[in-house]
Amino acid sequence: SRPTLALIGATGAVGTVMRELVSTREDIWGEIRLVASARSAGKVLQVRGEDVVVQALAPEVFDGVDIAIFDVPDEVSAEWVPIAAERGAIAIDKSGTFRMEPDVPLVVPEVNPLDARDRPRNIISTPNCTTLSMMAAIGALHAEYTLKELVVASYQAVSGAGVAGPARLYDEIEALAGDRSVGQAAGDVRKALANKLDADSPFPAPIAFNVVPWAGSYKDGGWASEELKLRNESRKILGIPDLKVSATCVRVPVITTHSLAVHARFEREITVADAHRILEAAPTVVLMDDPANGVWPTPVDVVGTDPTYIGRIRQAVDFPNTLDMFVCGDNLRKGAALNAAEIAELVATEL
Ligand code: 2RA
């Protein structure tokens, strides 16, 4: 019989995309259960064109579930993922809780699908959206040229912060619209926003008319958690424990689709033509690299689609064996829901 799937966190930003994906991808599922916090229980949501009543998170919701996909805050995953696994479900977890645990695989199906088979705790983690937004492309290049170093700057969309992110950006833009003098004197954007909006924002600075060099929580040494995730997760997914990685994560006023400027050094010389050949052959990567004709990826052209887009590929002039590139990926799709759906489909073939 067809496997039963449970979506935990079905009402969130990623949960909404998840419901759309399972409704539009090849339908391999039997029952699909929707689960959320008690606050959302009883809501009726559409999956595969049918009404499904959202159930409150409780141990019993996992009974009979083959695969449970979690997109919930870290502390909710920490408590509930092991309960799902104990009750016999394979848990695919989007939170940061288990990603770096040695007995939990961290999987990107294009890069390390076999790791999904070795899951002693019945838990598989899916990476952070910033790491995921580049991984299909970087993984393809690594498979042939062996990656040695990555220096990355991210340009992260506001929906990475959940449904409150886009809500805040739209509110700020609305509050500032119409005043063509704003944004020209230090502090005037903050002042204009303070007059019109409450201070409660998911971002630590105005996000309209601005870029914010901070994403995630504070970590030792002044690092932001997103920057360390990008380093540690890239090492684990690519299977290069000593990969040198340094990242700066920046939030930008884009609704959805993370972009990354990537400076990647390989073991041997790699030309732009080599990279084009590899990336053109990678099934989930779209090469958009014709700068003489203004062809490169941007978030507004990528949002809502599945592939990883790459362009602006250049051989670094002063750094041997090194490419500079610009990558874009929809942070809610490949960056979150799609990767989880792909892992679920991969694992379901074994059931
Ligand atoms: C963000 N990567 O963009 C995060 C979400 N986990 O905020």
Side-chain angles (χ1 to χ4, degrees):
S1 69
R2 303 206 295 174
T4 296
L5 177 70
L7 304 180
I8 323 302
T11 56
V14 176
T16 303
V17 177
M18 200 74 227
R19 282 187 282 116
E20 187 214 315
L21 285 177
V22 295
S23 302
T24 51
R25 292 174 68 79
E26 190 189 342
D27 187 14
I28 61 165
W29 306 107
E31 185 191 348
I32 297 181
R33 256 174 235 179
L34 302 183
V35 181
S37 64
R39 197 165 21 96
S40 300
K43 264 193 190 166
V44 179
L45 297 174
Q46 289 256 312
V47 184
R48 298 183 293 191
E50 286 163 19
D51 287 344
V52 177
V53 180
V54 177
Q55 304 183 41
L57 190 51
E60 306 76 57
V61 301
F62 299 107
D63 290 345
V65 169
D66 296 289
I67 297 177
I69 298 179
F70 283 80
D71 189 81
V72 294
D74 287 358
E75 63 282 5
V76 181
S77 276
E79 182 179 351
W80 289 93
V81 164
I83 294 173
E86 270 157 34
R87 295 211 161 211
I90 297 164
I92 298 170
D93 184 40
K94 178 77 188 83
S95 83
T97 307
F98 301 99
R99 284 186 196 134
M100 298 315 298
E101 309 241 328
D103 52 1
V104 173
L106 181 63
V107 175
V108 181
E110 295 97 322
V111 181
N112 60 340
L114 298 181
D115 289 0
R117 288 194 190 156
D118 184 16
R119 41 169 200 271
R121 291 166 69 182
N122 241 6
I123 303 170
I124 299 171
S125 274
T126 176
N128 190 32
C129 48
T130 317
T131 315
L132 266 174
S133 298
M134 67 171 186
M135 207 30 86
I138 298 302
L141 296 172
H142 167 63
E144 208 171 311
Y145 280 86
T146 308
L147 194 60
K148 302 304 273 184
E149 286 174 19
L150 276 177
V151 181
V152 177
S154 75
Y155 305 76
Q156 293 181 223
V158 295
S159 62
V163 286
R168 180 71 192 188
L169 177 55
Y170 286 125
D171 284 349
E172 290 190 5
I173 289 173
E174 221 170 278
L176 300 174
D179 179 353
R180 291 194 174 209
S181 70
V182 78
Q184 301 186 46
D188 67 349
V189 167
R190 286 183 192 270
K191 214 175 291 164
L193 292 177
N195 287 337
K196 295 199 175 155
L197 296 180
D198 58 39
D200 196 23
S201 168
F203 308 111
I207 188 64
F209 293 12
N210 211 6
V211 296
V212 180
W214 191 263
S217 56
Y218 181 89
K219 297 289 172 195
D220 281 354
W223 291 99
S225 57
E226 289 282 305
E227 293 156 353
L228 300 182
K229 285 178 186 178
L230 193 130
R231 171 177 180 265
N232 297 334
E233 294 174 14
S234 296
R235 290 175 156 199
K236 182 166 175 174
I237 297 158
L238 294 166
I240 319 172
D242 60 351
L243 181 66
K244 291 183 184 175
V245 186
S246 205
T248 302
C249 289
V250 179
R251 191 78 66 185
V252 295
V254 165
I255 297 297
T256 293
T257 292
H258 287 354
S259 305
L260 297 102
V262 180
H263 176 89
R265 184 171 73 80
F266 296 87
E267 197 172 62
R268 56 200 170 93
E269 189 184 344
I270 177 167
T271 64
V272 171
D274 295 327
H276 279 189
R277 174 180 51 78
I278 293 168
L279 295 165
E280 255 163 0
T284 63
V285 175
V286 173
L287 180 67
M288 284 184 80
D289 197 17
D290 183 7
N293 291 303
V295 175
W296 13 252
T298 75
V300 297
D301 301 312
V302 163
V303 58
T305 70
D306 289 346
T308 300
Y309 294 75
I310 186 162
R312 300 293 332 276
I313 302 173
R314 291 147 286 155
Q315 229 173 345
V317 179
D318 296 318
F319 300 85
N321 307 344
T322 301
L323 295 178
D324 283 288
M325 330 171 237
F326 193 73
V327 189
C328 291
D330 183 317
N331 52 297
L332 301 180
R333 292 177 85 90
K334 184 60 190 175
L338 177 61
N339 200 65
E342 288 168 342
I343 296 171
E345 290 164 3
L346 185 71
V347 170
T349 60
E350 300 168 17
L351 297 174

